[in-house]
Amino acid sequence: MFLLLCLVGLLARGDAQDRAALWRGNDRSGRCQYTFTVASPTEASCPQTGSPEVEGLKARLSLLETLVSRLPGGTPQDGGRSQSRLQEELTRAMGERNLLQGEKERLERELGGLQRRLEETQREMERLRNKPCPPQTPMVPPRPGGSNPMSHLLAHPNRQGDSSGLRDSTWQSGHAGFQEVKAEVTEVPAPEAYTGCGVLVSVAEPVTHRKAESIAGKYGVWMQDPEAVAPYGQEMVWRIDTIGSDVKQMFGYEDMDQLSRGFPSKVLLLPEPMESTGAALYRGSLYYQRRRSRTLIRFDLASESVAARRDLPHAGFHGQFPYSWGGYTDIDLSVDEQGLWAIYSTSKAKGAIVLSQLDPHSLEVKKSWETNFRKNSVANAFMICGRLYTVASYTAPNTTVNYMYDTETSQGTALAIPFRNKYRYNSMIDYNPAQKKLYAWDNFHMISYGLRLGRPVGA
Ligand code: CA
């Protein structure tokens, strides 16, 4: 384009050689350049109109035009396309940069929290060190010649039953205190096979179905409708990558196999952006929390439109009462054999988990329960048969389902059911009552866990 302008300029000069002329054009850097020309006193140095030089220039100009049009992106249309591609790339790169920036800030906050917890633990250790041990029947015999002040803490196998640290022969010599503890751990009655609506007995090793392709999939939610309705069948798998501030795309896969291959057959666009990884699918609708609000939306998959919307009364949102990993997971929706539930907290509950059963049609709260278990102390929660379960850690590879709350009795119970975070960053865990499995999103990976349910006491 620059060459063309220069050559046109030269031609114009040739035509106006016999009088003063002002010519304007862009220079190489895009600035406007003015050229003022007057006739030379030496006639011989001025080429005449239609001279061989001008004809030669015209011929070279048309040759250059031909060459320029053959260059990739040489025509104005191609130039426009290439520019819009560059613009798209730039927007994408800036989007990823913003995502990473957000992630960095979140990790910094998390680091701050961990440092505070470390300090608290150190203070607690200091307090324990200074506390005299009761003289009667110690739990663990003193190690020969050793005086580790923390040995009384190491006596207990941890919650995962990992006793690999107990290698000292003295510790395994059959001391009465230790055997007592061991008996408590192992004397769990063997669960009977039970296929009804039961209590959680154990969680199997996770099975990996798919790894997300981009940074947008570090966290997310994936699900199958336990009571699917037309036009989508029960095999259909849905997935939403939830990193970013404008989460609206929902990908549908024909079945688990297509999810594993990464070939979506349907992309739905949500009318309003989503927050959290707490979305749930039930009877042909996606239920989710609208970004930066306590508004719940029921999005009908068949008509691809909003079927209901309602505020969840007093619910904290956008980082007020998230799970321990953050991610604005203030409102977690869950589906079980008894219907649709919301797991959240309120200012009145001071961060303790509040549980509400929702009318799946209107989103109205049918009934609520307030637990005494802090929401930000757990990694995630899910419902099975009207019972709430929480997972202790989202990063520890071997953690536990550590608490259960029964809505029938309004009673909470501490548990220690082993649970594995294979990829060490579990951002979503939910139960599918049709598959009797937990679906989870662990550090880019869409995984599921087989479950063993047992007969409830008195059933
Ligand atoms: Ca959940």
Side-chain angles (χ1 to χ4, degrees):
M1 190 51 76
F2 167 73
L3 280 173
L4 279 175
L5 282 169
C6 289
L7 287 166
V8 169
L10 279 173
L11 284 171
R13 277 179 65 182
D15 289 341
Q17 202 63 60
D18 55 347
R19 59 186 187 274
L22 180 67
W23 178 72
R24 188 175 66 169
N26 289 327
D27 71 1
R28 197 177 283 273
S29 62
R31 285 175 306 191
C32 197
Q33 192 178 58
Y34 290 89
T35 311
F36 187 64
T37 314
V38 292
S40 165
T42 315
E43 287 289 315
S45 70
C46 301
Q48 297 301 306
T49 308
S51 68
E53 286 97 329
V54 173
E55 291 308 316
L57 278 172
K58 280 182 176 169
R60 284 164 67 193
L61 170 62
S62 79
L63 183 65
L64 273 169
E65 280 176 335
T66 314
L67 286 172
V68 166
S69 69
R70 284 185 199 160
L71 286 171
T75 64
Q77 292 93 325
D78 286 351
R81 273 202 296 277
S82 132
Q83 197 171 1
S84 80
R85 265 205 308 277
L86 275 172
Q87 190 62 44
E88 274 173 28
E89 280 298 305
L90 185 66
T91 312
R92 197 184 55 74
M94 281 171 67
E96 293 210 343
R97 190 200 64 176
N98 291 344
L99 290 177
L100 290 169
Q101 183 68 29
E103 173 69 351
K104 182 176 157 238
E105 285 165 13
R106 206 187 57 71
L107 287 171
E108 278 167 356
R109 282 197 301 277
E110 191 179 301
L111 180 65
L114 285 172
Q115 275 167 346
R116 278 194 301 279
R117 275 158 68 183
L118 181 64
E119 283 163 17
E120 279 168 23
T121 309
Q122 279 168 343
R123 278 198 296 276
E124 177 66 9
M125 278 171 69
E126 195 57 36
R127 197 183 62 78
L128 286 169
R129 269 200 198 103
N130 296 333
K131 192 177 166 187
C133 287
Q136 71 279 16
T137 56
M139 294 293 285
V140 182
R143 303 176 87 173
S147 61
N148 181 353
M150 296 304 291
S151 61
H152 61 293
L153 288 181
L154 298 171
H156 302 270
N158 62 26
R159 278 183 161 174
Q160 292 76 51
D162 176 11
S163 56
S164 54
L166 308 177
R167 299 246 162 75
D168 191 310
S169 61
T170 317
W171 289 23
Q172 299 173 5
S173 62
H175 184 271
F178 176 61
Q179 279 185 334
E180 253 174 49
V181 175
K182 205 174 168 187
E184 272 176 36
V185 172
T186 53
E187 273 183 17
V188 175
E192 47 189 313
Y194 182 71
T195 52
C197 205
V199 290
L200 183 62
V201 173
S202 64
V203 181
E205 282 286 304
V207 175
T208 304
H209 301 279
R210 174 81 196 156
K211 185 179 181 192
E213 303 77 10
S214 73
I215 177 72
K218 181 167 169 68
Y219 327 131
V221 52
W222 76 285
M223 55 220 148
Q224 285 184 297
D225 192 337
E227 295 186 30
V229 294
Y232 305 109
Q234 206 147 328
E235 294 292 298
M236 193 82 179
V237 184
W238 297 92
R239 159 190 173 182
I240 304 169
D241 296 353
T242 61
I243 277 209
S245 58
D246 197 37
V247 176
K248 281 184 169 179
Q249 279 186 329
M250 181 177 182
F251 295 94
Y253 301 82
E254 291 292 328
D255 51 32
M256 290 291 232
D257 194 41
Q258 291 301 312
L259 172 77
S260 300
R261 290 161 188 254
F263 300 140
S265 60
K266 186 82 191 170
V267 182
L268 298 182
L269 197 63
L270 303 177
E272 293 179 60
M274 165 187 290
E275 193 157 85
S276 172
T277 56
L281 205 53
Y282 187 51
R283 295 182 181 167
S285 287
L286 174 79
Y287 296 84
Y288 72 94
Q289 177 208 338
R290 197 186 63 160
R291 182 172 139 78
R292 284 180 178 272
S293 77
R294 59 172 64 93
T295 307
L296 303 181
I297 290 179
R298 171 158 88 89
F299 178 71
D300 178 61
L301 299 191
S303 64
E304 296 180 31
S305 61
V306 174
R309 67 159 63 222
R310 188 176 292 272
D311 278 8
L312 183 59
H314 313 295
F317 60 91
H318 203 65
Q320 261 183 294
F321 306 114
Y323 288 130
S324 54
W325 73 275
Y328 301 134
T329 48
D330 299 59
I331 300 178
D332 188 11
L333 298 166
S334 198
V335 169
D336 72 358
E337 291 80 354
Q338 299 182 8
L340 179 66
W341 303 84
I343 304 161
Y344 59 104
S345 187
T346 63
S347 300
K348 186 173 154 282
K350 297 188 183 71
I353 292 178
V354 175
L355 184 60
S356 287
Q357 189 164 27
L358 304 181
D359 179 324
H361 185 75
S362 68
L363 295 170
E364 274 177 298
V365 171
K366 284 158 68 174
K367 195 175 174 188
S368 287
W369 292 259
E370 192 176 309
T371 73
N372 57 8
F373 214 62
R374 292 190 68 75
K375 186 156 181 288
N376 68 6
S377 73
V378 298
N380 215 301
F382 51 88
M383 297 294 298
I384 303 178
C385 293
R387 296 181 191 89
L388 170 89
Y389 295 89
T390 65
V391 175
S393 166
Y394 63 97
T395 47
N398 295 301
T399 183
T400 55
V401 175
N402 61 343
Y403 177 78
M404 185 266 277
Y405 184 88
D406 192 337
T407 56
E408 206 175 299
T409 60
S410 300
Q411 293 295 316
T413 315
L415 300 175
I417 299 171
F419 185 96
R420 189 152 167 77
N421 290 317
K422 186 172 179 185
Y423 302 102
R424 304 189 174 200
Y425 211 103
N426 216 329
S427 61
M428 164 244 157
I429 306 171
D430 257 323
Y431 174 62
N432 181 311
Q435 306 292 330
K436 305 250 181 248
K437 280 182 183 170
L438 294 180
Y439 288 34
W441 194 296
D442 188 357
N443 211 356
F444 294 98
H445 295 83
M446 284 146 257
I447 57 175
S448 68
Y449 299 80
L451 300 177
R452 186 159 182 182
L453 303 178
R455 191 181 299 276
V457 177

